[in-house]
Amino acid sequence: MAIDSDVLVIGGGIAGISSALAARQAGADVRLVSEAETTLHHASGLLDVLGYHPNAAGEGPVVDPFDAIADLPDSHPYAIVGESAVRDGLALLDDALGEAYQGSYTDANALVPTHGGTVKPTARYPASVAAGLASDDREMVLVDFERLTGFDAGVAADHLAAAGIPADTSAATVEFPIVVRDDAKVTRYAHLLDENPTVTVEGRERRVRAALADAIEPHVGDAERVGFPAVLGVDHPAEIRAELQDRLDAAIFEVPMGPPSVPGLRLEDRLYAALDDAGGRIEAGGGPIVGFDATEGTISEVYLDRSGSPIPYAADQYVLATGDVAGGGIDSDREGVTEPIFGCHVPHPTDRYEWFDEAAFGDHDFAEFGVVIDEMLRPVAETGDPEFSNLRAAGAVIGGYDYPAEKSASGVSIATGYAAGRQAAREA
Amino acid sequence: MNNTPHVVVVGGGSTGVGIARDAAMRGFEVTLVEKGNLTHGTTGRMHGLLHSGGRYAVSDQESARECIEENMILREIATHCVEDTGGLFVKRPEDTEEYYQEKLEGLRACSIPATELTAAEARAREPYLAKDIDKAIEVPDGAIDPFRLCVANAKSAQNHGARVETFSEVTDLLVEDGEIVGVEVTHESGSGNHVHGVEGAVEEIRADHVVNAAGAWTGELAAMADIDVEVRPSKGVMTIMNVRQVDTVINRCKPKGDADIVVPHETTAILGTTDEEVSDPAEYPEEQWEVDLMIEELGKLVPILEDARTIRSFWGVRPLYEPPDTGTDDPTDITRQFFLLDHDERDDRPGMTTIVGGKLTTYRLMAEQLVDHLAEKFGIEAACRTAEEPLPGSEDEGAIEAAMNEFGLRSPIGKRSAERLGSRTADVLDTDEPNPVVCGCEAVTRAEVQDAIEESGSNLNAVRIRTRASMGNCQGGFCSHRMANELHPDYDERQARTALDELYQERWKGQRHALWGEQLGQAMITYAMHALTMNRDRDPAATEDSLDFGAFDAGPSTEARTTADESAGIATDGGEEGTHGD
C-alpha cells in the first residue's frame, strides 16, 4: 500500500515549503519529503525578489522589483507566473514569518550590508538585519570576533564606505567572552549567546551577553547602531539583540553570513514550524527518490529510498522542488545535463565548454540549467508538451534565469512554489 | 668598485631560484627578477613528480641517471617538499613484454632501484589498480611540491644576501659596445614585495653577468639582445582529482605516450599528460579532448577515475630546446636534457649565459653547472654546497617532531601545517594570537597565511602557492574571502578586494575544465555565495556611478523615526520572542 496524499512536494527548500504552504492554504492534503540537509543552511536568510535586471550588466540595482517584472523576457519564471503570484506568494511567507521578517511595508528593495562588505538588494530581510540597512544614515560600528575568519569588520566598514553608503562606518575587533575553539563554527557562538552562561572576566562573574557588551562598549562612541556577524542566537535572537541594545544604547543588527548561516537556520526552523502549524505533513531526512510509476503521462507513484528499500508514495499531484545543479535537482556528467528523478528535458549546449563563461562572474549557462515549464508550471519535453499531466516544478529546478546575478533566488522559489502549490491543490 | 661580481638571474622558476641560491652561497651578489609570482611559468604548472629516472630509462639514459642522483639528493635537502610515495610502472595485457624487459634493463643500467611485482602484489599495494594488469616494476618515484621547493630556494638565496624581485619583468637588456651589461626591469608595484595599488617603476639593474633562466620565455629575452635561441614550447594538460585514488605514482609501462601517469599530490591525485608543440607559451588552446583523454586513458590503469570527481585542470608548457639543425618534428622526441649557452662563445655577445631545457627534478644540478660556469668566468673558487646544505624548512629532521609536540599538533590540522612548514613550523606557529583555520579543505591556519603574506605582499596567489590555501575541493569558494580578510589591516580594503578578485578568477580558470557532476554543483554553490550572498559581481563599490541610497528601503526604524515620534529604540527589534529579562 502506498503512502497517500493529495499533493506530494519533493524538496525541502524555500520552493518546496512555499508549495506545501500554498497547497495547504488551498485545502489540499499535503506531504513534503526532503533529503537530509537543505540549501537553506547555505543561504543568507534574506528573501530577495529581484535585485538586478537580467541582461543589463553595469546597471545599478532595481529599486522596485515588482515594477521590474513587466520588463522580463517571457521565458522568465516571474513572467510565467505573473506579478500577482509573486505578491501573493510573498504575502503567504510574510504571514508565516510574522514579525521575524521585515520589508513588507514597502515595494522598494532594501540594501543589506553583506559579510563580503558590499550591499545586496533584497525585498524582505530578517528583523535582525533591519537596523543595518545601508540607506539608513545613522553612524554604525561593525564588530568582529578574533577567531571568526569569515567576517572582518574592518574590511566591511571600509568596503561599505567605498560603496558610498550615507552612514559613517567604523570597526572593532573583540575577543568573544568565552574562549571558543580557534576554529569553532558560527553556530557555537550562537548557542553560547542563546544559553548565556556565566563567565569570569577580570575576576567578575558576568553572563556572556553582558561580558560581550562590556568588551564592545569602549568602541561604540557616537555610533547609533552596532553590527555583528550573524551569530546572535538561533533560539532567542530578539532577546539577545534587545539585551545588547539596552547595554550599548545603540540599535543592534546582524550582517548576514554564510555558510553555515545562522539566519538561514532560523528561517528554516520558522518555515517548517509554519508548515507544521498549517497541518502539512513533513518527512525530512529521508532518502532520495529512486523511481516512479506512470501510465499515459500521469505519475501514479514515486519511490523513496529508505535504508535500501523503495517505499511507494502516491499522490494526485506532484511538485518537483529539488533545486538546481547546486542542490542536486539537476545532474550532469561529461556527456550532458539531466533532471535525475523524472528525466525531464533540460536544455543545454552539447559542448560542455559552452556551459560556462571565461570570466568568473561572466554569463554562465550552467546557472540557468533547469527544466522548461508551461504556463501551468508543468515541465515540458523538447516538443513543448508536458512531460507528465500531474507534475509541476517550483524553484531553482526551473531553468532559464540566473539567480545569483539577478539576486532572485528566494523570490522565484516563493512565487513558483506558491503558484505550483495552488494549482496542484486545485486539481487534486 | 665593488669586487663581488653581481649576477642578475632572470626567471623565478625552479632553475632561476636554484641558481640564485647556489650563486649567493658561493659569494656572488645576486639579484633575481621574475615577471610574475615565483613559479609563475612552467614550475607552477607541473605534475609534481620527483622522477626516479624510470620514465627516461629506455629512451634517454643520461637524463635518467641525472634524475636518480638528484632524486636522492632532494630527499635529503628538501625533505619538507618531498613525499616518498614510490612509483610503479604498470604493464597492461596490451603493453608489450619486449618494452617491459627493455624498461627493466634500462632501470638497472641507470642504477635505478627496481623491483618486479606480480599483479597481485601491485594490487595489494594499490587496490584501485585495474584487475586485469599483468605486472609492475617498483621504482623510487616521489611527489614533490614545486611551490614549496621554489619558495625555500628563494628564501635560502635571500638568507645568503640575494635580492629577489617578483612582479618585475625584464623589459630590455642593457647592451653597451656589444656586451650585455644589465637589465631594464619594470616593477609592477615598486620594488620589494608585490603590493596592489602601489605605482610601478622602471629600474635599470647593472650586472657583471646576466643569467637567462626564463624558461618558455628564454627566446624572447635573448631576442632583446638580438640573440637567437629557439625554444620549442610544448604544452601538456594535468587534471586534478578531488581525492587521492592512489598513494603511489602510477606510470604506464609503454613507450612515450599521452595520459600515462597518476601522481598522488597532497590531498589530490594529478593525471598527466599531453605533449603538443605550441607557438606562444602564454597563449595556447586548452582543449576539452585533452581532459577527456586523461580520464579515459588513465581509467585503464585505475578504473575508478572514470567516475571520480575532478576539481580542475591546468596546462604547463615545457620549454624544450634542441641545438640548431637537429630538426626534430615530434615534440615528444625532443630531448629532456638541459643546455648551457654562453653567448660570448656562441654568439660573440658577452655578458649573458642562457640555461634552457631540463626538468624540475634536475633543477639543482642545472644550477650547479651554471654557477660552476660563472665561478670559472669570475675566478671564484668556492665549491657548490647545494647538494649537502638543506633548504630552509628541511634543516632539522627532528624539528617537525619537536614542533608538533611543542604545539600540541597531533590534530590533523597541525600535522598538515607541520608537513608543509617542515623545520620552520615552530617559527611560524609560535604565536600568542588565536590561530583559526582559514582554509578548511587544506587545513591552513591564520599563522601560515600571515607568514606567507609577510613573505610575499598583498598577492593572494603568492599566498596560495606558499600555503595551499584555496587549492582543495572548494577551490576557494569558502575561503578566498577569508584569505583576503587576512590582508587587512596591513593592506587596505581596496588592495584586499583586488587581491581577492585576482585569486577568485585564477581559481575559476582551472575549474572550468572540471565542470560536470559534483564539481559543477560546487561551482554553482561558489557562484551563489559570491554573487547572490555577497554581491561581489555587482558591487556598487566597484562602479563609477554612485548609488541613490535614498531611493531604497531604509528600514522600519527609520520609518518610525521619521513618521512617528523619536523615542529611543522603538521597533528596531522585531520583538519576536517577547521581552528579555536582565
Side-chain angles (χ1 to χ4, degrees), chain A residues 99 105 118-119 125 135 146 159 182 247 332 353 358 360 407, chain B residues 435 446 505 512-513 517 531 535 537 539 549 553 557 574 582:
Chain A
E99 287 190 330
Y105 59 88
T118 187
V119 295
Y125 42 87
S135 299
E146 194 82 69
H159 198 154
D182 275 2
R247 293 185 178 278
S332 63
Y353 276 61
E358 300 291 300
K407 326 299 169 196
Chain B
N435 190 22
R446 171 176 287 163
Q505 179 64 34
R512 296 172 312 170
H513 301 286
N535 197 19
D537 60 328
D539 181 358
F549 284 91
D553 176 12
S557 67
D582 186 15

PDB file of all heavy atoms in Angstrom, chain A residues 99 105 118-119 125 135 146 159 182 247 332 353 358 360 407, chain B residues 435 446 505 512-513 517 531 535 537 539 549 553 557 574 582:
ATOM      1  N   GLU A  99       6.603  38.785  12.542  1.00  0.00           N
ATOM      2  CA  GLU A  99       7.488  39.911  12.802  1.00  0.00           C
ATOM      3  C   GLU A  99       8.957  39.555  12.673  1.00  0.00           C
ATOM      4  O   GLU A  99       9.810  40.428  12.782  1.00  0.00           O
ATOM      5  CB  GLU A  99       7.209  40.470  14.198  1.00  0.00           C
ATOM      6  CG  GLU A  99       5.906  41.222  14.265  1.00  0.00           C
ATOM      7  CD  GLU A  99       5.757  41.979  15.567  1.00  0.00           C
ATOM      8  OE1 GLU A  99       6.315  41.506  16.577  1.00  0.00           O
ATOM      9  OE2 GLU A  99       5.100  43.012  15.564  1.00  0.00           O
ATOM     10  N   TYR A 105       6.242  46.497   4.234  1.00  0.00           N
ATOM     11  CA  TYR A 105       5.520  47.772   4.226  1.00  0.00           C
ATOM     12  C   TYR A 105       5.879  48.643   3.017  1.00  0.00           C
ATOM     13  O   TYR A 105       5.318  49.710   2.831  1.00  0.00           O
ATOM     14  CB  TYR A 105       5.785  48.546   5.528  1.00  0.00           C
ATOM     15  CG  TYR A 105       7.247  48.848   5.764  1.00  0.00           C
ATOM     16  CD1 TYR A 105       7.816  50.016   5.250  1.00  0.00           C
ATOM     17  CD2 TYR A 105       8.054  47.947   6.459  1.00  0.00           C
ATOM     18  CE1 TYR A 105       9.166  50.270   5.434  1.00  0.00           C
ATOM     19  CE2 TYR A 105       9.398  48.203   6.636  1.00  0.00           C
ATOM     20  CZ  TYR A 105       9.954  49.357   6.133  1.00  0.00           C
ATOM     21  OH  TYR A 105      11.278  49.610   6.293  1.00  0.00           O
ATOM     22  N   THR A 118      30.043  44.523   0.822  1.00  0.00           N
ATOM     23  CA  THR A 118      29.269  45.431  -0.006  1.00  0.00           C
ATOM     24  C   THR A 118      27.792  45.330   0.373  1.00  0.00           C
ATOM     25  O   THR A 118      27.474  44.851   1.461  1.00  0.00           O
ATOM     26  CB  THR A 118      29.518  45.151  -1.506  1.00  0.00           C
ATOM     27  OG1 THR A 118      28.862  46.155  -2.270  1.00  0.00           O
ATOM     28  CG2 THR A 118      29.032  43.784  -1.907  1.00  0.00           C
ATOM     29  N   VAL A 119      26.895  45.820  -0.482  1.00  0.00           N
ATOM     30  CA  VAL A 119      25.471  45.750  -0.156  1.00  0.00           C
ATOM     31  C   VAL A 119      24.758  44.904  -1.191  1.00  0.00           C
ATOM     32  O   VAL A 119      25.183  44.816  -2.333  1.00  0.00           O
ATOM     33  CB  VAL A 119      24.828  47.157  -0.108  1.00  0.00           C
ATOM     34  CG1 VAL A 119      25.432  47.960   1.030  1.00  0.00           C
ATOM     35  CG2 VAL A 119      24.957  47.892  -1.431  1.00  0.00           C
ATOM     36  N   TYR A 125      13.839  40.975   4.682  1.00  0.00           N
ATOM     37  CA  TYR A 125      15.054  40.695   5.436  1.00  0.00           C
ATOM     38  C   TYR A 125      14.667  40.348   6.867  1.00  0.00           C
ATOM     39  O   TYR A 125      13.620  40.772   7.365  1.00  0.00           O
ATOM     40  CB  TYR A 125      16.003  41.897   5.392  1.00  0.00           C
ATOM     41  CG  TYR A 125      15.304  43.228   5.571  1.00  0.00           C
ATOM     42  CD1 TYR A 125      15.072  43.749   6.839  1.00  0.00           C
ATOM     43  CD2 TYR A 125      14.825  43.935   4.461  1.00  0.00           C
ATOM     44  CE1 TYR A 125      14.406  44.950   7.008  1.00  0.00           C
ATOM     45  CE2 TYR A 125      14.145  45.137   4.626  1.00  0.00           C
ATOM     46  CZ  TYR A 125      13.933  45.645   5.897  1.00  0.00           C
ATOM     47  OH  TYR A 125      13.245  46.816   6.061  1.00  0.00           O
ATOM     48  N   SER A 135      20.740  52.292   3.558  1.00  0.00           N
ATOM     49  CA  SER A 135      20.127  53.597   3.286  1.00  0.00           C
ATOM     50  C   SER A 135      19.857  54.391   4.558  1.00  0.00           C
ATOM     51  O   SER A 135      19.477  55.559   4.490  1.00  0.00           O
ATOM     52  CB  SER A 135      18.830  53.405   2.505  1.00  0.00           C
ATOM     53  OG  SER A 135      19.094  52.785   1.278  1.00  0.00           O
ATOM     54  N   GLU A 146      37.797  37.864  16.965  1.00  0.00           N
ATOM     55  CA  GLU A 146      39.153  37.488  16.569  1.00  0.00           C
ATOM     56  C   GLU A 146      39.226  36.152  15.809  1.00  0.00           C
ATOM     57  O   GLU A 146      39.955  36.022  14.837  1.00  0.00           O
ATOM     58  CB  GLU A 146      39.969  37.373  17.856  1.00  0.00           C
ATOM     59  CG  GLU A 146      41.451  37.324  17.668  1.00  0.00           C
ATOM     60  CD  GLU A 146      42.073  38.686  17.490  1.00  0.00           C
ATOM     61  OE1 GLU A 146      42.104  39.474  18.455  1.00  0.00           O
ATOM     62  OE2 GLU A 146      42.509  38.947  16.365  1.00  0.00           O
ATOM     63  N   HIS A 159      34.737  48.846   3.108  1.00  0.00           N
ATOM     64  CA  HIS A 159      34.084  48.499   1.842  1.00  0.00           C
ATOM     65  C   HIS A 159      32.739  49.238   1.726  1.00  0.00           C
ATOM     66  O   HIS A 159      32.398  49.778   0.675  1.00  0.00           O
ATOM     67  CB  HIS A 159      33.886  46.978   1.766  1.00  0.00           C
ATOM     68  CG  HIS A 159      33.628  46.460   0.388  1.00  0.00           C
ATOM     69  ND1 HIS A 159      33.932  45.186   0.006  1.00  0.00           N
ATOM     70  CD2 HIS A 159      33.080  47.033  -0.710  1.00  0.00           C
ATOM     71  CE1 HIS A 159      33.592  44.994  -1.255  1.00  0.00           C
ATOM     72  NE2 HIS A 159      33.062  46.114  -1.716  1.00  0.00           N
ATOM     73  N   ASP A 182      39.569  27.622  18.358  1.00  0.00           N
ATOM     74  CA  ASP A 182      40.029  28.540  17.317  1.00  0.00           C
ATOM     75  C   ASP A 182      39.220  28.417  16.037  1.00  0.00           C
ATOM     76  O   ASP A 182      39.072  29.372  15.301  1.00  0.00           O
ATOM     77  CB  ASP A 182      41.514  28.294  17.012  1.00  0.00           C
ATOM     78  CG  ASP A 182      42.413  29.048  17.977  1.00  0.00           C
ATOM     79  OD1 ASP A 182      41.873  29.721  18.882  1.00  0.00           O
ATOM     80  OD2 ASP A 182      43.639  28.963  17.821  1.00  0.00           O
ATOM     81  N   ARG A 247      22.212  47.501  26.739  1.00  0.00           N
ATOM     82  CA  ARG A 247      23.522  47.684  27.362  1.00  0.00           C
ATOM     83  C   ARG A 247      24.406  48.644  26.573  1.00  0.00           C
ATOM     84  O   ARG A 247      25.245  49.335  27.149  1.00  0.00           O
ATOM     85  CB  ARG A 247      24.233  46.334  27.498  1.00  0.00           C
ATOM     86  CG  ARG A 247      23.544  45.407  28.482  1.00  0.00           C
ATOM     87  CD  ARG A 247      24.328  44.120  28.689  1.00  0.00           C
ATOM     88  NE  ARG A 247      23.669  43.272  29.659  1.00  0.00           N
ATOM     89  CZ  ARG A 247      23.772  43.402  30.974  1.00  0.00           C
ATOM     90  NH1 ARG A 247      24.534  44.365  31.478  1.00  0.00           N
ATOM     91  NH2 ARG A 247      23.120  42.597  31.790  1.00  0.00           N
ATOM     92  N   SER A 332      24.560  16.294 -13.880  1.00  0.00           N
ATOM     93  CA  SER A 332      25.286  16.354 -15.143  1.00  0.00           C
ATOM     94  C   SER A 332      26.456  15.384 -15.114  1.00  0.00           C
ATOM     95  O   SER A 332      26.919  14.980 -14.052  1.00  0.00           O
ATOM     96  CB  SER A 332      25.817  17.775 -15.383  1.00  0.00           C
ATOM     97  OG  SER A 332      26.744  18.128 -14.368  1.00  0.00           O
ATOM     98  N   TYR A 353      31.977  22.790 -23.006  1.00  0.00           N
ATOM     99  CA  TYR A 353      32.777  24.017 -22.893  1.00  0.00           C
ATOM    100  C   TYR A 353      31.952  25.262 -23.213  1.00  0.00           C
ATOM    101  O   TYR A 353      32.442  26.380 -23.101  1.00  0.00           O
ATOM    102  CB  TYR A 353      34.048  23.911 -23.742  1.00  0.00           C
ATOM    103  CG  TYR A 353      35.129  23.177 -22.973  1.00  0.00           C
ATOM    104  CD1 TYR A 353      34.922  21.857 -22.566  1.00  0.00           C
ATOM    105  CD2 TYR A 353      36.318  23.795 -22.599  1.00  0.00           C
ATOM    106  CE1 TYR A 353      35.860  21.176 -21.818  1.00  0.00           C
ATOM    107  CE2 TYR A 353      37.278  23.124 -21.849  1.00  0.00           C
ATOM    108  CZ  TYR A 353      37.041  21.811 -21.463  1.00  0.00           C
ATOM    109  OH  TYR A 353      37.979  21.150 -20.701  1.00  0.00           O
ATOM    110  N   GLU A 358      34.233  32.443 -19.613  1.00  0.00           N
ATOM    111  CA  GLU A 358      35.645  32.537 -19.213  1.00  0.00           C
ATOM    112  C   GLU A 358      35.827  33.327 -17.918  1.00  0.00           C
ATOM    113  O   GLU A 358      36.733  33.062 -17.142  1.00  0.00           O
ATOM    114  CB  GLU A 358      36.462  33.237 -20.312  1.00  0.00           C
ATOM    115  CG  GLU A 358      36.448  32.529 -21.657  1.00  0.00           C
ATOM    116  CD  GLU A 358      37.216  31.223 -21.618  1.00  0.00           C
ATOM    117  OE1 GLU A 358      38.415  31.248 -21.324  1.00  0.00           O
ATOM    118  OE2 GLU A 358      36.600  30.159 -21.858  1.00  0.00           O
ATOM    119  N   ALA A 360      34.937  34.656 -14.199  1.00  0.00           N
ATOM    120  CA  ALA A 360      34.320  34.027 -13.030  1.00  0.00           C
ATOM    121  C   ALA A 360      32.896  34.538 -12.801  1.00  0.00           C
ATOM    122  O   ALA A 360      32.009  33.772 -12.429  1.00  0.00           O
ATOM    123  CB  ALA A 360      35.182  34.287 -11.791  1.00  0.00           C
ATOM    124  N   LYS A 407      19.908  38.230  -8.284  1.00  0.00           N
ATOM    125  CA  LYS A 407      19.507  38.215  -6.862  1.00  0.00           C
ATOM    126  C   LYS A 407      17.993  37.928  -6.793  1.00  0.00           C
ATOM    127  O   LYS A 407      17.198  38.764  -6.344  1.00  0.00           O
ATOM    128  CB  LYS A 407      19.832  39.516  -6.118  1.00  0.00           C
ATOM    129  CG  LYS A 407      21.093  40.252  -6.547  1.00  0.00           C
ATOM    130  CD  LYS A 407      22.373  39.457  -6.374  1.00  0.00           C
ATOM    131  CE  LYS A 407      23.512  40.174  -7.089  1.00  0.00           C
ATOM    132  NZ  LYS A 407      24.679  39.366  -7.312  1.00  0.00           N
TER     133      LYS A 407
ATOM    134  N   ASN B 435      44.627  31.168  16.506  1.00  0.00           N
ATOM    135  CA  ASN B 435      45.083  30.683  15.203  1.00  0.00           C
ATOM    136  C   ASN B 435      44.016  29.839  14.519  1.00  0.00           C
ATOM    137  O   ASN B 435      44.151  28.627  14.377  1.00  0.00           O
ATOM    138  CB  ASN B 435      46.380  29.892  15.387  1.00  0.00           C
ATOM    139  CG  ASN B 435      47.028  29.586  14.047  1.00  0.00           C
ATOM    140  OD1 ASN B 435      46.770  30.276  13.060  1.00  0.00           O
ATOM    141  ND2 ASN B 435      47.839  28.546  14.006  1.00  0.00           N
ATOM    142  N   ARG B 446      45.593  30.604  10.204  1.00  0.00           N
ATOM    143  CA  ARG B 446      45.904  32.030  10.072  1.00  0.00           C
ATOM    144  C   ARG B 446      47.412  32.283  10.142  1.00  0.00           C
ATOM    145  O   ARG B 446      47.937  33.088   9.375  1.00  0.00           O
ATOM    146  CB  ARG B 446      45.186  32.802  11.181  1.00  0.00           C
ATOM    147  CG  ARG B 446      45.611  34.269  11.264  1.00  0.00           C
ATOM    148  CD  ARG B 446      44.822  35.028  12.312  1.00  0.00           C
ATOM    149  NE  ARG B 446      43.463  35.246  11.852  1.00  0.00           N
ATOM    150  CZ  ARG B 446      42.448  35.592  12.644  1.00  0.00           C
ATOM    151  NH1 ARG B 446      42.638  35.748  13.932  1.00  0.00           N
ATOM    152  NH2 ARG B 446      41.240  35.781  12.149  1.00  0.00           N
ATOM    153  N   GLN B 505      39.444  34.741  -9.764  1.00  0.00           N
ATOM    154  CA  GLN B 505      39.489  34.486 -11.214  1.00  0.00           C
ATOM    155  C   GLN B 505      40.509  33.386 -11.541  1.00  0.00           C
ATOM    156  O   GLN B 505      40.254  32.528 -12.370  1.00  0.00           O
ATOM    157  CB  GLN B 505      39.817  35.784 -11.967  1.00  0.00           C
ATOM    158  CG  GLN B 505      39.914  35.620 -13.489  1.00  0.00           C
ATOM    159  CD  GLN B 505      38.591  35.197 -14.138  1.00  0.00           C
ATOM    160  OE1 GLN B 505      37.515  35.594 -13.694  1.00  0.00           O
ATOM    161  NE2 GLN B 505      38.666  34.347 -15.157  1.00  0.00           N
ATOM    162  N   ARG B 512      37.128  25.479 -14.794  1.00  0.00           N
ATOM    163  CA  ARG B 512      36.280  25.416 -15.979  1.00  0.00           C
ATOM    164  C   ARG B 512      36.434  24.087 -16.701  1.00  0.00           C
ATOM    165  O   ARG B 512      35.518  23.647 -17.386  1.00  0.00           O
ATOM    166  CB  ARG B 512      36.642  26.554 -16.945  1.00  0.00           C
ATOM    167  CG  ARG B 512      36.364  27.921 -16.358  1.00  0.00           C
ATOM    168  CD  ARG B 512      36.922  28.993 -17.266  1.00  0.00           C
ATOM    169  NE  ARG B 512      38.286  28.650 -17.632  1.00  0.00           N
ATOM    170  CZ  ARG B 512      38.993  29.279 -18.556  1.00  0.00           C
ATOM    171  NH1 ARG B 512      38.482  30.273 -19.213  1.00  0.00           N
ATOM    172  NH2 ARG B 512      40.234  28.907 -18.822  1.00  0.00           N
ATOM    173  N   HIS B 513      37.584  23.460 -16.514  1.00  0.00           N
ATOM    174  CA  HIS B 513      37.806  22.190 -17.196  1.00  0.00           C
ATOM    175  C   HIS B 513      37.293  21.001 -16.398  1.00  0.00           C
ATOM    176  O   HIS B 513      37.528  19.858 -16.762  1.00  0.00           O
ATOM    177  CB  HIS B 513      39.302  22.030 -17.484  1.00  0.00           C
ATOM    178  CG  HIS B 513      39.848  23.136 -18.330  1.00  0.00           C
ATOM    179  ND1 HIS B 513      39.582  23.228 -19.671  1.00  0.00           N
ATOM    180  CD2 HIS B 513      40.579  24.235 -18.015  1.00  0.00           C
ATOM    181  CE1 HIS B 513      40.159  24.320 -20.159  1.00  0.00           C
ATOM    182  NE2 HIS B 513      40.766  24.947 -19.173  1.00  0.00           N
ATOM    183  N   GLY B 517      28.963  17.140 -13.104  1.00  0.00           N
ATOM    184  CA  GLY B 517      28.737  16.370 -11.877  1.00  0.00           C
ATOM    185  C   GLY B 517      28.897  17.208 -10.627  1.00  0.00           C
ATOM    186  O   GLY B 517      28.516  18.370 -10.584  1.00  0.00           O
ATOM    187  N   ALA B 531      28.189  35.693  -5.587  1.00  0.00           N
ATOM    188  CA  ALA B 531      27.354  36.642  -6.340  1.00  0.00           C
ATOM    189  C   ALA B 531      26.037  36.897  -5.607  1.00  0.00           C
ATOM    190  O   ALA B 531      25.694  38.043  -5.325  1.00  0.00           O
ATOM    191  CB  ALA B 531      27.089  36.113  -7.748  1.00  0.00           C
ATOM    192  N   ASN B 535      27.147  39.535  -3.314  1.00  0.00           N
ATOM    193  CA  ASN B 535      27.002  40.535  -4.388  1.00  0.00           C
ATOM    194  C   ASN B 535      28.355  41.058  -4.860  1.00  0.00           C
ATOM    195  O   ASN B 535      28.494  42.238  -5.180  1.00  0.00           O
ATOM    196  CB  ASN B 535      26.113  41.702  -3.953  1.00  0.00           C
ATOM    197  CG  ASN B 535      25.620  42.507  -5.147  1.00  0.00           C
ATOM    198  OD1 ASN B 535      25.640  42.034  -6.277  1.00  0.00           O
ATOM    199  ND2 ASN B 535      25.183  43.735  -4.901  1.00  0.00           N
ATOM    200  N   ASP B 537      29.635  40.333  -7.642  1.00  0.00           N
ATOM    201  CA  ASP B 537      29.607  40.523  -9.098  1.00  0.00           C
ATOM    202  C   ASP B 537      29.044  41.876  -9.495  1.00  0.00           C
ATOM    203  O   ASP B 537      29.312  42.360 -10.575  1.00  0.00           O
ATOM    204  CB  ASP B 537      28.809  39.401  -9.769  1.00  0.00           C
ATOM    205  CG  ASP B 537      27.360  39.348  -9.294  1.00  0.00           C
ATOM    206  OD1 ASP B 537      27.096  39.680  -8.110  1.00  0.00           O
ATOM    207  OD2 ASP B 537      26.477  38.982 -10.097  1.00  0.00           O
ATOM    208  N   ASP B 539      29.060  44.705  -7.301  1.00  0.00           N
ATOM    209  CA  ASP B 539      29.432  45.517  -6.142  1.00  0.00           C
ATOM    210  C   ASP B 539      29.386  47.008  -6.472  1.00  0.00           C
ATOM    211  O   ASP B 539      30.139  47.464  -7.335  1.00  0.00           O
ATOM    212  CB  ASP B 539      30.861  45.103  -5.751  1.00  0.00           C
ATOM    213  CG  ASP B 539      31.381  45.845  -4.536  1.00  0.00           C
ATOM    214  OD1 ASP B 539      30.659  46.715  -4.005  1.00  0.00           O
ATOM    215  OD2 ASP B 539      32.515  45.534  -4.123  1.00  0.00           O
ATOM    216  N   PHE B 549      21.070  55.895  -2.580  1.00  0.00           N
ATOM    217  CA  PHE B 549      20.655  55.112  -1.408  1.00  0.00           C
ATOM    218  C   PHE B 549      19.289  55.540  -0.887  1.00  0.00           C
ATOM    219  O   PHE B 549      18.531  54.756  -0.348  1.00  0.00           O
ATOM    220  CB  PHE B 549      21.713  55.208  -0.303  1.00  0.00           C
ATOM    221  CG  PHE B 549      22.919  54.366  -0.568  1.00  0.00           C
ATOM    222  CD1 PHE B 549      24.019  54.880  -1.250  1.00  0.00           C
ATOM    223  CD2 PHE B 549      22.958  53.031  -0.183  1.00  0.00           C
ATOM    224  CE1 PHE B 549      25.125  54.096  -1.518  1.00  0.00           C
ATOM    225  CE2 PHE B 549      24.057  52.243  -0.449  1.00  0.00           C
ATOM    226  CZ  PHE B 549      25.150  52.774  -1.122  1.00  0.00           C
ATOM    227  N   ASP B 553      14.660  51.164   0.616  1.00  0.00           N
ATOM    228  CA  ASP B 553      14.111  50.980   1.970  1.00  0.00           C
ATOM    229  C   ASP B 553      15.224  51.223   2.997  1.00  0.00           C
ATOM    230  O   ASP B 553      16.281  50.609   2.919  1.00  0.00           O
ATOM    231  CB  ASP B 553      13.588  49.540   2.061  1.00  0.00           C
ATOM    232  CG  ASP B 553      13.082  49.178   3.451  1.00  0.00           C
ATOM    233  OD1 ASP B 553      12.920  50.090   4.286  1.00  0.00           O
ATOM    234  OD2 ASP B 553      12.848  47.965   3.669  1.00  0.00           O
ATOM    235  N   SER B 557      12.894  51.087  11.413  1.00  0.00           N
ATOM    236  CA  SER B 557      13.198  52.025  12.493  1.00  0.00           C
ATOM    237  C   SER B 557      13.287  53.434  11.925  1.00  0.00           C
ATOM    238  O   SER B 557      12.892  54.397  12.565  1.00  0.00           O
ATOM    239  CB  SER B 557      14.516  51.649  13.166  1.00  0.00           C
ATOM    240  OG  SER B 557      15.587  51.845  12.283  1.00  0.00           O
ATOM    241  N   GLY B 574      12.329  43.314  16.250  1.00  0.00           N
ATOM    242  CA  GLY B 574      11.043  42.763  15.877  1.00  0.00           C
ATOM    243  C   GLY B 574      10.253  42.233  17.053  1.00  0.00           C
ATOM    244  O   GLY B 574       9.060  42.006  16.952  1.00  0.00           O
ATOM    245  N   ASP B 582      16.668  40.750  32.599  1.00  0.00           N
ATOM    246  CA  ASP B 582      18.082  41.018  32.844  1.00  0.00           C
ATOM    247  C   ASP B 582      18.357  40.860  34.325  1.00  0.00           C
ATOM    248  O   ASP B 582      17.830  41.566  35.123  1.00  0.00           O
ATOM    249  CB  ASP B 582      18.435  42.433  32.381  1.00  0.00           C
ATOM    250  CG  ASP B 582      19.942  42.654  32.501  1.00  0.00           C
ATOM    251  OD1 ASP B 582      20.677  41.660  32.654  1.00  0.00           O
ATOM    252  OD2 ASP B 582      20.360  43.815  32.453  1.00  0.00           O
TER     253      ASP B 582
END
